[in-house]
Structures are given as structure tokens and as C-alpha cells.
Amino acid sequence: MDEQDRLAARFEQDRARLRAVALRMLGSSAEADDAVQEAWLRLSRTDVGEVGNLSGWLTTVVGRICLDMLRSRTTRREDLLDDTADADLPPVGATAGPDPEQEAVLADSVGLALLVVLDTLTPAERLAFVLHDMFAVPFDELAPVIGKSPDAARQLASRARRRVQGQSPTGDVDQARRRAVVEAFLSAAREGRFEALVTMLDPDVVMRADATAVSYGSSAEKRGAATVAGYWNGQAAEARTALIDGVVNAVWAPKGRVRVAMAFTVVDGRIAAIDLTADKDRLADLDVTVL
């Protein structure tokens, strides 16, 4: 048996698991098969000698493929939910990988009804929920797949989890509250009201920026209400509230051009985290509507 045959045999050990991931992401048997096949093609072209956990690597590859498929999908979802998807979904832990801690069993099977609920999520929320909650992929590993920080990925999964459980965290009421918090923060920042900023921030707030945002003059990371408030005090002149992937956040948009996306984590009416994204490729993946 040559190296390619050994790799194919190894891939077959994970095929059922990878198809389970793809089915939960896409809700279509045919599309799931296409995603798994694409994963095999990528594996066959990759030097996996330095890959420590091949099952984990394959899972994130399938997740990335599915995310791309969801983002490019134009056909209405109802047309894609075929009658076989419900019966085809195997147990989440049907094919265990080499690391038992990676094999989370959420339920014996996931039916068409949950697939419909999952379709109410944004692609990034869906990926975070499926990979983390159903397949126990750590946030540090899935965050690069969706182009966000681990904390932001955790928030996506949490929001998706609440929505799946019927709490609709981004409904009109919650969105209105988020907007009030974000707009109050930006207003206080522009007007240099330091004490007001401090009261709006969680005492343990963390602010992080990607490398491109740092090149624009941001700090890579700041922690604590006073420190973060000091950074924003007198700033945000060009910041505007915006819907980012359907959720109220903000953008820095000088002359109307979005240069930085600002993702706020709001907990109990206070800002617990601010993630600044300025990478052009990541910005291009975001659905941004300035309010």
C-alpha cells in the first residue's frame, strides 16, 4: 500500500463524522457529499506530515468549506432541505477520532426540524455552534476558520445557542438595547466623557485589534475599564453604528468607507469586549449596513 492509499484509508475512518458535520452545516445530503469530497481533494494535495491531529484538521477543513458554501448560496434554503437529510444524519459521535475529548455527543441524531432552526443563524454563528457545541472543536481552533478571535467565536456560539433554544437574542428588543449601549458608548467617546465610558464598560473588559487595525494606530490589546475608557476618551469621531452580520455593532468609516469593524460583546447592559477587525479580506466577508 503506497502513501496515497494509506491516506485514503485514514480519510475513510473520518468520512462519516465529516459528513455529519457537513449535513448539520448545509442540510443537504448532496451538498454534504460535495463538501466531504472537496475535503478529500484538499487532503490529497496537502503534506500532512506535520499535522498532529488529522481528525481535527479535517473537521475544520470541512467547516471552512461549508462556510464558503453557505456564504455563496443563492438558492432558497427550503429548496435545499431534501427529504433524505433527516434520515441520513448519523449520531454525532458515530465515528470517534483519536482524541475522545474531541467527540462530543449532543444527541443521538439531529432531525430536519433542527436544521430549519439552524438556518435562522448567520453562517458564522452556525459554524461556531455546530463545530463547538456538536463536535467539541475548541474555540482556539475554530476561530481562524471564521476569521474572528476566540472570544468573538465564543460569543457567536453563545448567541447561536440561545437562538436555537428559542431565546432569540437578536430580536427587536435586544437589538434596540444593544444599539442604545453602542450609541451611548460612541457618544461618550466622541465627547470625551471619561467617567461615563467607565460606567459603560465591564470592569474586566478586554479590547483586541487585528494586525491591520494595529497598523492604523490601535493597540493590540487593552484590559480593564479605566484603561479601555482612556483609550477611547475623545475618539470615535468617524465611528458609526452598523449592522454587522445582522447584529448591531459599529464601524470606523472615514469618508464613508468602512475601514474597521467594531464587534461589541454586551453583557447585562455593559460592554465586556471590543474586537477590532481591519483586515480587508475579513471585512469583505462581513455583511455591513451602516445605520
Side-chain angles (χ1 to χ4, degrees):
M1 179 182 292
D2 60 20
E3 184 61 30
Q4 193 72 358
D5 289 336
R6 283 193 291 271
L7 195 61
R10 179 64 182 80
F11 181 81
E12 287 303 315
Q13 296 177 18
D14 282 292
R15 179 182 290 275
R17 172 183 169 82
L18 299 176
R19 192 167 187 272
V21 172
L23 277 169
R24 287 163 175 81
M25 283 295 298
L26 301 169
S28 163
S29 296
E31 286 192 312
D33 289 338
D34 289 344
V36 172
Q37 180 61 24
E38 176 62 23
W40 160 247
L41 293 175
R42 295 188 186 186
L43 175 64
S44 65
R45 298 192 297 262
T46 301
D47 181 4
V48 296
E50 297 182 358
V51 177
N53 181 354
L54 187 58
S55 292
W57 184 87
L58 286 169
T59 299
T60 57
V61 166
V62 168
R64 184 176 290 110
I65 292 168
C66 292
L67 184 62
D68 291 342
M69 293 173 71
L70 286 174
R71 285 173 171 168
S72 64
R73 178 180 285 171
T74 57
T75 307
R76 283 188 58 81
R77 187 69 173 85
E78 290 82 357
D79 297 332
L80 292 171
L81 286 172
D82 57 71
D83 294 336
T84 63
D86 193 20
D88 285 349
L89 285 170
V92 171
T95 52
D99 183 0
E101 294 182 359
Q102 298 293 317
E103 306 302 325
V105 180
L106 179 67
D108 290 338
S109 64
V110 176
L112 192 61
L114 180 54
L115 291 176
V116 174
V117 175
L118 290 177
D119 189 48
T120 67
L121 309 177
T122 67
E125 287 174 340
R126 185 164 183 163
L127 182 66
F129 178 77
V130 169
L131 290 190
H132 181 265
D133 283 43
M134 293 184 173
F135 293 90
V137 175
F139 288 117
D140 286 346
E141 294 181 17
L142 72 85
V145 179
I146 55 180
K148 296 184 180 296
S149 69
D151 283 347
R154 182 178 292 105
Q155 289 300 318
L156 283 171
S158 177
R159 187 162 64 236
R161 190 180 308 118
R162 292 195 301 269
R163 190 179 295 180
V164 168
Q165 293 170 350
Q167 297 181 22
S168 301
T170 57
D172 292 341
V173 174
D174 297 276
Q175 286 284 60
R177 290 173 181 168
R178 276 187 65 88
R179 183 167 183 172
V181 170
V182 172
E183 290 186 339
F185 175 82
L186 295 180
S187 176
R190 295 188 195 103
E191 296 169 8
R193 292 185 282 118
F194 177 79
E195 294 299 332
L197 287 172
V198 171
T199 63
M200 295 176 196
L201 297 169
D202 184 272
D204 297 319
V205 63
V206 58
M207 186 189 81
R208 297 188 181 92
D210 67 10
T212 306
V214 171
S215 73
Y216 292 163
S218 175
S219 297
E221 181 175 301
K222 286 186 175 295
R223 292 180 176 271
T227 301
V228 173
Y231 174 85
W232 285 96
N233 196 35
Q235 303 298 319
E238 299 291 343
R240 299 290 182 269
T241 53
L243 290 176
I244 299 178
D245 289 340
V247 180
V248 173
N249 283 291
V251 293
W252 179 55
K255 297 182 179 180
R257 181 185 175 189
V258 176
R259 301 290 296 277
V260 180
M262 307 174 188
F264 292 84
T265 300
V266 180
V267 179
D268 295 331
R270 288 187 175 184
I271 296 171
I274 306 173
D275 286 283
L276 307 181
T277 300
D279 180 84
K280 291 182 179 179
D281 291 336
R282 294 184 179 180
L283 287 178
D285 286 337
L286 300 176
D287 181 9
V288 178
T289 302
V290 178
L291 299 175

